[in-house]
Amino acid sequence: MKLLLTFACLFFTLLPTPAQETDSIRLAMENYDYDTALRLIDKDTMPGLPLLYQKGLILRQQGAAAAALSVFQDIMQKDTSSARPWIEAAVCCQSLAKNNLALQYYHKATQLAPGNKYARMQYIKQLLQHRRYRESLQESRSLAERDSSAAVLHLVGMSLEGLRDTAAIDCYQDIHRRYPADYLAVSKLCQHYLAGNDFEHAIALSEAYRQEQDSTNVIVNQLNAQAYCMNRDYPTAILRYRELLQQGDSSFCTCYYMGISSYAVEDFDTACRVLEVARRESPHDINLLYYLGRSYEKSFQGEEGSLCLEEAIGYTLVPDSAMNRLYTALADCYYVAGRYRDQAEVLKMRYKEYDRENHLILYNLALLYQTGLKDSDTAIHYLEAFLKTRPKEEADNPKATIRDGNIIPSRIIYYRAAEKWLKDLQEHKKVEDFFQGKPREE
């Protein structure tokens, strides 16, 4: 009998105890061996709440959000007074893009645990995502009454932004005063200043942050550089963008504005290089293609520029003013590439469809046919067409105007030049016709 009892005790001693199972599950999770942990949990035919929570978390870690959601929904029925299963289920819903259900679950969690800051913040974020800005403002202000942390105050600011309330600026200024190291408040303020063309304030704020807090923050440096660029301080903008590129920042905004700044200082090779990098991220951006095409044209790469501008024109229908600008640039690229016939067709399209009052295009067409295409007859045709647009009354002393620092001759000068040029071409044509034996036109 004693021997039998000894064997029985030994047998039960060798059986795994609940504590041993728990330790095995914990060890498996610590080693990220989630498959083993799930297998050990599933061996329990009636797992308690702790094991169910672990199972749900493991499934979510493995990317099985739908299965994890089912587990947490099961826990809701068993753990009716706790906010945790509702929060965990809401997280799964966000992974599954079940945003309406996530909103409901976070709301339920706030009802079960009104003092749970995480649940309330997530509920407010869901309200913001659903563009229910008045509710998010009410909830965030209520939370801010007892928690004035930067994270909570940002929710107030985001709600005000959603309502397009200018008080959002005051909110971000308040955050900046309380938490000078908070770069999000600085970036939000800079964005507002840039949107309002208040470049000086954007520069001053971002420079102060760079000098007093962190000179390496990528977001603040991007906005700082953009402010210099938009303020037309291109050398400083280029300096900032070079620092960003050296830090490994090849984002669209950095490369795009670096390209524009380089174009502005006539460093067209750099403009081409960085704009091509930006193009990889946003290949259909018309403004980018315009500046890239222009940069190629200015660096005597007319073929590449033509391809960029042709692509931009083909992407979308844009307002006449933008089409006129694109066709002007495309014509210049064709000229650099020596594609004079294509240039002529673009000029005709531009005059016919988008810039009908710009009669100088007719003069330029005459010049193109005479010098580029060696077609005097067509040149005469366009000179005659140009002179028909001549005003009936001319000023005795036409004056040039200055636009963007460039001297623009008076159009009357072109009419007078066209008149003399046409007369010369017609006389030359008469001589040629005479020697070729052509009869004179009466």
Side-chain angles (χ1 to χ4, degrees):
M1 187 66 177
K2 288 183 179 180
L3 184 61
L4 182 61
L5 288 173
T6 301
F7 276 115
C9 290
L10 180 62
F11 174 77
F12 286 111
T13 300
L14 294 174
L15 284 177
T17 65
Q20 288 174 322
E21 292 282 6
T22 302
D23 288 341
S24 298
I25 294 169
R26 178 181 56 76
L27 184 61
M29 292 186 68
E30 287 177 355
N31 291 315
Y32 303 98
D33 186 0
Y34 294 133
D35 290 335
T36 299
L38 279 177
R39 188 170 61 253
L40 291 171
I41 292 172
D42 288 339
K43 285 175 63 177
D44 194 329
T45 55
M46 297 183 63
L49 289 177
L51 285 182
L52 286 176
Y53 273 115
Q54 283 188 321
K55 181 177 181 179
L57 293 173
I58 291 170
L59 288 169
R60 197 169 72 205
Q61 286 284 351
Q62 289 186 312
L69 175 60
S70 179
V71 171
F72 290 125
Q73 286 173 331
D74 181 38
I75 297 175
M76 289 175 189
Q77 308 302 318
K78 300 175 180 178
D79 192 7
T80 56
S81 62
S82 174
R84 183 182 176 188
W86 298 89
I87 295 173
E88 301 290 2
V91 174
C92 294
C93 288
Q94 288 177 275
S95 299
L96 297 167
K98 297 178 180 289
N99 295 322
N100 288 332
L101 197 55
L103 178 65
Q104 295 175 28
Y105 285 167
Y106 279 127
H107 187 213
K108 179 66 176 179
T110 61
Q111 292 176 328
L112 290 170
N116 188 306
K117 178 181 175 179
Y118 176 81
R120 291 193 67 180
M121 290 185 67
Q122 293 303 314
Y123 176 54
I124 295 168
K125 289 177 182 179
Q126 282 296 310
L127 288 172
L128 286 167
Q129 188 171 337
H130 284 76
R131 299 185 180 182
R132 291 163 59 172
Y133 300 121
R134 294 194 183 282
E135 293 173 72
S136 65
L137 180 60
Q138 181 179 355
E139 289 288 333
S140 56
R141 277 180 168 167
S142 174
L143 182 58
E145 289 177 358
R146 58 186 183 83
D147 186 339
S148 59
S149 63
V152 174
L153 294 176
H154 272 291
L155 295 176
V156 177
M158 292 165 66
S159 301
L160 290 168
E161 282 184 306
L163 293 170
R164 298 185 179 181
D165 192 328
T166 55
I169 297 177
D170 297 330
C171 179
Y172 290 125
Q173 287 175 337
D174 181 45
I175 298 173
H176 180 55
R177 282 192 295 269
R178 296 184 187 214
Y179 307 98
D182 186 294
Y183 79 91
L184 287 176
V186 173
S187 65
K188 283 286 188 178
L189 285 170
C190 284
Q191 289 169 17
H192 279 285
Y193 293 146
L194 291 176
N197 295 328
D198 188 355
F199 308 130
E200 295 294 339
H201 272 94
I203 290 171
L205 180 62
S206 54
E207 282 292 346
Y209 185 88
R210 280 169 45 83
Q211 295 171 15
E212 299 169 9
Q213 301 297 332
D214 184 1
S215 63
T216 64
N217 186 282
V218 172
I219 293 177
V220 174
N221 283 334
Q222 286 174 341
L223 293 165
N224 175 263
Q226 186 179 343
Y228 278 116
C229 177
M230 296 176 74
N231 203 39
R232 299 187 179 184
D233 183 351
Y234 301 115
T236 306
I238 290 171
L239 180 64
R240 294 287 183 266
Y241 281 124
R242 281 177 181 164
E243 293 173 356
L244 285 163
L245 290 169
Q246 289 170 358
Q247 289 178 338
D249 175 22
S250 59
S251 62
F252 172 81
C253 283
T254 292
C255 294
Y256 176 69
Y257 284 106
M258 173 65 168
I260 291 177
S261 301
S262 299
Y263 178 87
V265 299
E266 300 184 1
D267 182 1
F268 303 118
D269 290 337
T270 299
C272 290
R273 187 174 67 255
V274 293
L275 287 173
E276 281 289 6
V277 176
R279 187 183 183 185
R280 296 172 198 163
E281 186 173 336
S282 185
H284 307 310
D285 189 293
I286 293 175
N287 285 325
L288 183 149
L289 289 170
Y290 169 78
Y291 281 107
L292 182 56
R294 274 301 198 187
S295 298
Y296 277 127
E297 177 251 322
K298 298 293 185 182
S299 57
F300 303 100
Q301 300 179 73
E303 285 292 347
E304 289 81 356
S306 302
L307 289 173
C308 291
L309 293 160
E310 287 171 341
E311 191 176 343
I313 291 170
Y315 278 137
T316 184
L317 294 175
V318 296
D320 287 356
S321 59
M323 289 297 291
N324 182 38
R325 187 174 68 149
L326 286 168
Y327 274 115
T328 301
L330 180 57
D332 291 344
C333 283
Y334 282 149
Y335 173 76
V336 172
R339 294 168 58 177
Y340 303 123
R341 198 162 297 282
D342 289 333
Q343 182 189 8
E345 293 303 315
V346 167
L347 288 173
K348 293 174 191 177
M349 175 65 73
R350 177 186 162 201
Y351 182 70
K352 180 181 178 181
E353 299 291 340
Y354 304 107
D355 204 6
R356 188 61 184 164
E357 297 302 313
N358 188 359
H359 305 307
L360 280 175
I361 294 175
L362 298 172
Y363 182 91
N364 290 331
L365 277 165
L367 185 64
L368 175 61
Y369 274 100
Q370 175 67 28
T371 59
L373 297 171
K374 310 302 180 184
D375 184 350
S376 297
D377 290 342
T378 306
I380 289 172
H381 166 76
Y382 281 107
L383 283 172
E384 290 174 339
F386 176 60
L387 287 168
K388 287 179 181 178
T389 67
R390 188 174 191 169
K392 293 181 179 180
E393 297 181 1
E394 293 182 2
D396 292 332
N397 297 306
K399 294 182 179 180
T401 58
I402 298 178
R403 185 185 306 158
D404 296 332
N406 299 315
I407 297 176
I408 310 298
S410 169
R411 187 170 298 183
I412 294 170
I413 295 175
Y414 285 98
Y415 284 119
R416 294 177 181 176
E419 190 175 48
K420 183 178 183 305
W421 181 16
L422 177 60
K423 184 177 179 180
D424 291 341
L425 286 178
Q426 288 172 335
E427 290 295 327
H428 184 72
K429 188 174 186 301
K430 287 179 183 178
V431 173
E432 283 188 341
D433 289 348
F434 174 80
F435 284 106
Q436 292 176 10
K438 293 182 181 180
R440 291 182 62 186
E441 295 181 2
E442 297 296 331

